């Protein structure tokens, strides 16, 4: 009896204490799912559930895995009072995202993301965190690729640049640059370990509705014909959610990496035309396609160079883009079956200058 009690206490003490701010979201909840299977973590999720992920499945997952949950708006400083004073790992994922959001509410992107970053920086400064990971984006160097012809696939050495500065789309990238600089510099001054992840197009079930894939599903279901391919010759690389979440955990837990930036994604570069036509095959689409211009501010090529992540983290994405796409399409097709009147695609034309 005493022995098992001691064992229980030992297990609790030895657990790695993890905070996932933004853990109700697409990537944060995937990180929590992976960690919860490993049993050596004491997990806390904090989120305002902006994306409404706190459904029955999520609630069940939280209860089943004894995850602590704080539902609050962390643009408010007082929300941080809910948290404990010490965490081993702080995943800082909370952010306002989405191209349409940037175009329609750029002021909110600036307000929400800068408040989340600045509140988190000050909270970390005044509390005890061993490792912090901040999630940034490949959008931070979209200007460098198109303006200065930098190499694609792109490594972490690339200078960050957006252009033009007043374009609403880039409010998001500007706040991520603030986060990168903020966390790297606070970490050196206040003595915690810090990693920056720049994600490249992570896809999977429940990834939100402001994305090309759910938009394609809506349009194929609605029978668009000819089917427009916006920016068909642009390239991207799509990474399955399990790979993206695992790479994030590998970066957080890598003892050899201190104050480092990693590009996490998949390095198989495909065209948007490839993506649309693969989706068309899924829907057995027999009509014609038509190439159309893309969203303004959309970079022509994007693909991460994973050499550094492979070498230092042992990161090796395993899910093929077609497999990741199929899993994503399955989920959205089912969603639209259950919610036949929901539509989110508004077309890029609305936003042309
Ligand atoms: N998904 C991608 O391909 C991708 C690409 C580049 C960068 N990122 C970054 O990765 C992180 C996670 O992205 P995601 O795709 O899971 O997005 P997501 O929107 O699903 O997750 C972000 C979470 O932050 C929460 N949040 C927003 N404002 C908050 C607030 N005021 N208080 C508390 N919580 C708040 C949201 O409710 C949401 O659950 C984000 O920082 C995003 O910028 C993602």
């Amino acid at each position: 009896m005493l022995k098992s009690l001691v064992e229980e206490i030992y297990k609790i003490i030895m657990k790695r204490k993890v905070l996932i701010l933004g853990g109700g979201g697409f990537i944060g909840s995937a990180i929590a799912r992976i960690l919860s299977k490993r049993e050596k973590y004491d997990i806390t999720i904090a989120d305002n559930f902006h994306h409404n992920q706190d459904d029955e499945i999520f609630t069940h997952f939280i209860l089943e895995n004894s995850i602590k949950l704080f539902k609050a708006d962390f643009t408010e400083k007082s929300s941080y009072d809910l948290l404990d004073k010490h965490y081993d790992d702080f995943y800082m994922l909370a952010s306002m995202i989405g191209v349409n959001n940037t175009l329609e509410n750029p002021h909110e992107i600036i307000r929400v993301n800068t408040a989340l970053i600045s509140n988190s920086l000050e909270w970390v400064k005044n509390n005890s965190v061993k490792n912090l990971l901040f999630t940034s984006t490949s959008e931070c160097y979209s200007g460098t690729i198109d303006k200065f012809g930098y190499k694609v696939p792109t490594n972490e050495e690339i200078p960050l640049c957006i252009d033009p500065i007043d374009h609403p789309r880039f409010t998001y990238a500007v706040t991520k640059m603030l986060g990168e600089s903020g966390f790297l510099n606070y970490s050196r001054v206040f003595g915690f370990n810090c990693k920056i992840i720049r994600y490249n197009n992570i896809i999977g079930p429940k990834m939100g509705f402001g994305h090309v894939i759910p938009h394609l599903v809506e349009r194929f279901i609605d029978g668009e014909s000819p089917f427009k391919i916006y920016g068909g010759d642009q390239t991207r690389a799509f990474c399955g959610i399990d790979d993206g979440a695992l790479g994030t955990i590998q970066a957080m837990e890598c003892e050899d990496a201190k104050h480092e930036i990693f590009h996490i994604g998949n390095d198989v570069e495909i065209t948007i035309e490839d993506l649309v036509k693969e989706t068309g095959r899924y829907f057995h689409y027999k009509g014609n396609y038509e190439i159309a211009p893309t969203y303004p501010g959309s970079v022509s090529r994007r693909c991460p160079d994973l050499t550094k992540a492979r070498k230092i983290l042992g990161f090796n994405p395993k899910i093929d883009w077609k497999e990741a796409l199929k899993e994503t399409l399955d989920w959205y097709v089912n969603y639209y079956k259950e919610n036949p009147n929901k539509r989110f695609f508004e077309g890029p034309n609305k936003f042309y200058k």
Side-chain angles (χ1 to χ4, degrees), residues 21-28 46-53 72-75 92-97 112 116 134-138 172 176 198-203 206-207 211:
L21 183 52
F26 169 53
I27 300 176
D47 202 298
N48 67 348
F49 293 95
H50 181 71
H51 276 169
N52 294 324
Q53 302 247 12
D73 177 0
F74 282 77
T75 61
M92 169 37 186
L93 281 86
S95 178
M96 192 169 165
I97 67 161
V112 170
L116 287 167
F134 175 72
T135 50
S136 183
T137 171
S138 50
Y172 172 68
K176 292 295 181 180
R198 292 194 197 124
Y199 289 124
N200 274 256
N201 288 92
I202 312 295
I203 62 167
K206 228 175 167 187
M207 63 189 290
H211 189 278

Side-chain angles (χ1 to χ4, degrees), residues 64-301:
E64 202 182 23
N65 292 287
S66 309
I67 292 173
K68 288 191 201 83
L69 184 66
F70 297 121
K71 187 171 181 175
D73 177 0
F74 282 77
T75 61
E76 300 289 339
K77 279 196 180 120
S78 56
S79 298
Y80 289 75
D81 297 341
L82 295 166
L83 304 176
D84 290 345
K85 301 274 175 231
H86 166 79
Y87 291 94
D88 294 297
D89 301 334
F90 176 3
Y91 290 86
M92 169 37 186
L93 281 86
S95 178
M96 192 169 165
I97 67 161
V99 175
N100 283 8
N101 260 335
T102 63
L103 298 171
E104 287 173 346
N105 301 301
H107 59 297
E108 275 299 278
I109 295 275
I110 297 276
R111 182 188 71 78
V112 170
N113 290 358
T114 52
L116 287 167
I117 290 164
S118 128
N119 289 346
S120 295
L121 286 168
E122 284 301 298
W123 182 82
V124 174
K125 181 179 122 185
N126 297 317
N127 290 276
S128 154
V129 167
K130 276 191 201 152
N131 305 297
L132 183 138
L133 182 145
F134 175 72
T135 50
S136 183
T137 171
S138 50
E139 296 250 331
C140 290
Y141 53 81
S142 58
T144 326
I145 293 174
D146 275 350
K147 284 270 156 178
F148 303 105
Y150 264 72
K151 244 179 84 183
V152 179
T154 308
N155 70 25
E156 292 82 353
E157 303 297 312
I158 189 168
L160 304 188
C161 160
I162 46 103
D163 183 62
I165 187 64
D166 67 342
H167 197 296
R169 178 175 177 139
F170 296 128
T171 50
Y172 172 68
V174 165
T175 63
K176 292 295 181 180
M177 290 184 201
L178 169 73
E180 290 198 20
S181 171
F183 286 105
L184 287 169
N185 281 289
Y186 266 56
S187 69
R188 290 208 185 87
V189 174
F190 298 106
F192 56 94
N193 193 358
C194 168
K195 278 119 191 187
I196 307 293
I197 295 293
R198 292 194 197 124
Y199 289 124
N200 274 256
N201 288 92
I202 312 295
I203 62 167
K206 228 175 167 187
M207 63 189 290
F209 293 91
H211 189 278
V212 59
I213 295 176
H215 292 169
L216 289 175
V217 173
E218 290 181 11
R219 293 166 57 208
F220 275 112
I221 289 174
D222 291 346
E224 181 177 314
S225 188
F227 198 95
K228 284 201 175 68
I229 306 179
Y230 298 104
D233 59 347
Q234 293 197 332
T235 70
R236 295 292 183 269
F238 294 93
C239 175
I241 179 63
D242 291 346
D243 282 335
L246 191 61
T248 313
I249 297 167
Q250 287 175 308
M252 173 64 98
E253 300 190 355
C254 179
E255 300 281 339
D256 295 335
K258 302 213 185 300
H259 313 289
E260 295 280 359
I261 299 169
F262 293 100
H263 286 182
I264 292 290
N266 197 305
D267 52 1
V268 176
E269 188 180 1
I270 61 160
T271 63
I272 294 298
E273 186 173 351
D274 293 333
L275 177 81
V276 174
K277 291 192 170 165
E278 183 64 21
T279 308
R281 279 189 281 279
Y282 176 97
F283 282 98
H284 306 289
Y285 177 70
K286 298 276 180 280
N288 294 325
Y289 290 97
E290 186 182 297
I291 302 290
T294 185
Y295 280 74
S298 188
V299 64
S300 59
R301 281 184 75 193

